[in-house]
């Protein structure tokens, strides 16, 4: 199995509202939780009780389409509200991420790192020391994981920042975005994914669910093509609609019904009747 590390703050963890986009069920996509690979379900990066849709699920779904029959595992280590200082090389978040990856590497091959962070550093002239700290983090991760050439995909901060809600304080996001672009363009095997045309939740800081699906596709395009993605992809909305209509496998249908039952969305009789029907189908 291949694996991907997810690090950064809340927009990597995901805060998109669950009800605003169709769920992604795919038995080839797994997530590391409690020391075990489990079939992915969102929210997959459960750093907060308000976790939701992030970019990783659509990234992984796109990966499976290019690698039929293969499995991919997501290693969620993003932490909402974290600053670049909390990602220092000897900090708790970095040590935890490295620990999780090393454990995951016992049963998978790490093939990439997805990074989205910077909203918490978009004020108070924190951008002046941001670039050096980010480069040091990436260097440390590659050294500690013995992965000197691992691709790192850097997501741009939302262009809507600085305007409303919690995002209103992020008045220096343009400076951070410029530094993120600079690092992506000058560090080896680093690639940039634009946030152009992505929209926010009403809080003004978190990328909404549909935009997160689009963002994940851009991350994957940058990863798979090993190039910077500087404009929205032409097929984003079409891909989202196609994925929502995707016919589920038997295991995926059972998983989806089990989720509905566990959340109280269907009763036990409905659950057992549906499962029996699924098991009897071809």
């Amino acid at each position: 199995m291949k694996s991907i590390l997810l690090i950064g703050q809340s927009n990597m963890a995901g805060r998109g509202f669950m009800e605003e986009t169709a769920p992604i069920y795919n038995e080839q996509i797994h997530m590391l939780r409690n020391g075990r690979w489990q079939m992915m379900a969102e929210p997959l990066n459960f750093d907060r009780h308000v976790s939701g849709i992030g970019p990783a699920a659509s990234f992984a779904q796109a990966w499976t389409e290019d690698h039929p029959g293969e499995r991919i595992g997501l290693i969620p280590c993003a932490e909402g509200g974290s600053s670049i200082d909390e990602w220092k090389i000897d900090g708790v978040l970095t040590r935890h991420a490295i620990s999780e990856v090393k454990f995951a590497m016992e049963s998978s091959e790490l093939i990439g790192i997805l990074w989205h962070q910077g909203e918490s550093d978009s004020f108070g002239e924190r951008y002046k020391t941001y670039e050096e700290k980010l480069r040091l983090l990436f260097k440390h991760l590659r050294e500690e994981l013995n992965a000197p050439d691992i691709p790192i995909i850097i997501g741009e901060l939302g262009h809507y920042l600085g305007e409303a809600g919690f995002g209103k304080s992020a008045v220096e996001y343009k400076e951070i975005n410029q530094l993120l672009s600079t690092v992506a363009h000058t560090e080896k095997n680093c690639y940039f994914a634009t946030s152009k045309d992505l929209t926010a939740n009403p809080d003004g800081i978190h990328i909404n669910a549909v935009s997160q699906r689009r963002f994940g596709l851009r991350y994957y395009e940058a990863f798979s093509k090993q190039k910077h993605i500087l404009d929205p992809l032409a097929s984003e909305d079409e891909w989202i609609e196609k994925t929502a209509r995707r016919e589920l496998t038997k295991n995926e249908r059972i998983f989806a019904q089990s989720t509905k039952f566990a959340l109280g969305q269907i009763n036990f009789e409905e659950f057992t009747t549906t499962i029996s029907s699924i098991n009897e189908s071809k």
Side-chain angles (χ1 to χ4, degrees):
M1 181 166 68
K2 309 300 185 183
S3 58
I4 298 286
L5 172 63
L6 316 175
I7 51 175
Q9 58 180 115
S10 55
N11 274 320
M12 176 56 68
R15 297 292 189 266
F17 300 151
M18 299 285 290
E19 65 275 11
E20 289 187 354
T21 190
I24 292 177
Y25 296 116
N26 187 328
E27 61 182 315
Q28 301 302 110
I29 305 175
H30 297 260
M31 60 184 179
L32 188 63
R33 183 168 290 177
N34 292 337
R36 302 181 65 181
W37 290 113
Q38 305 178 26
M39 184 171 159
M40 185 202 73
E42 296 174 289
L44 67 93
N45 195 124
F46 211 83
D47 64 315
R48 296 287 190 279
H49 68 290
V50 293
S51 295
I53 303 294
S58 52
F59 175 99
Q61 176 66 29
W63 186 93
T64 63
E65 292 171 4
D66 282 348
H67 301 82
E70 296 186 48
R71 297 185 301 152
I72 188 169
L74 302 171
I75 309 168
C77 293
E79 172 68 13
S82 56
S83 68
I84 191 64
D85 285 335
E86 292 177 272
W87 287 97
K88 59 186 178 182
I89 62 174
D90 59 347
V92 171
L93 297 181
T94 304
R95 288 161 46 209
H96 172 255
I98 290 170
S99 175
E100 288 288 280
V101 173
K102 288 183 175 180
F103 179 80
M105 290 172 72
E106 294 178 12
S107 55
S108 70
E109 176 191 355
L110 185 73
I111 59 171
I113 298 172
L114 307 188
W115 171 261
H116 185 95
Q117 191 279 334
E119 291 92 346
S120 292
D121 294 282
S122 294
F123 65 93
E125 297 188 337
R126 297 184 181 189
Y127 68 88
K128 291 184 176 180
T129 58
Y130 187 91
E131 180 180 348
E132 179 183 358
K133 294 171 182 177
L134 187 62
R135 291 184 188 275
L136 185 61
L137 171 64
F138 289 170
K139 179 176 182 290
H140 180 69
L141 289 172
R142 285 171 161 160
E143 290 175 349
E144 286 295 307
L145 299 174
N146 192 28
D149 299 317
I150 195 80
I152 301 175
I153 314 303
I154 300 173
E156 186 180 31
L157 304 186
H159 292 200
Y160 51 75
L161 291 170
E163 297 179 2
F166 296 131
K168 197 169 184 178
S169 62
V171 292
E172 294 169 353
Y173 80 91
K174 291 181 181 179
E175 287 84 348
I176 294 293
N177 274 342
Q178 181 57 55
L179 295 173
L180 292 172
S181 177
T182 297
V183 171
H185 281 79
T186 55
E187 287 287 328
K188 67 176 182 179
N189 293 334
C190 277
Y191 305 99
F192 187 78
T194 184
S195 65
K196 286 180 182 177
D197 298 340
L198 301 185
T199 52
N201 286 339
D203 62 13
I205 195 166
H206 293 122
I207 302 168
N208 69 26
V210 174
S211 287
Q212 283 284 26
R213 291 283 190 251
R214 297 171 67 192
F215 208 16
L217 291 178
R218 299 175 192 181
Y219 268 96
Y220 180 67
E221 187 77 0
F223 170 82
S224 62
K225 299 295 196 311
Q226 296 189 12
K227 69 176 186 179
H228 307 297
I229 302 302
L230 305 179
D231 293 294
L233 306 177
S235 59
E236 290 171 356
D237 293 336
E238 179 183 348
W239 185 93
I240 292 171
E241 293 177 6
K242 179 192 71 174
T243 300
R245 297 191 305 267
R246 173 180 171 268
E247 184 176 353
L248 302 183
T249 67
K250 180 179 288 188
N251 287 339
E252 291 162 2
R253 288 157 63 197
I254 291 173
F255 185 87
Q257 292 302 314
S258 299
T259 300
K260 289 181 180 180
F261 175 60
L263 294 175
Q265 296 172 356
I266 57 175
N267 61 37
F268 185 70
E269 182 178 355
E270 292 170 322
F271 171 70
T272 54
T273 299
T274 304
I275 295 300
S276 295
S277 176
I278 292 173
N279 285 326
E280 291 170 1
S281 64
K282 293 182 179 181

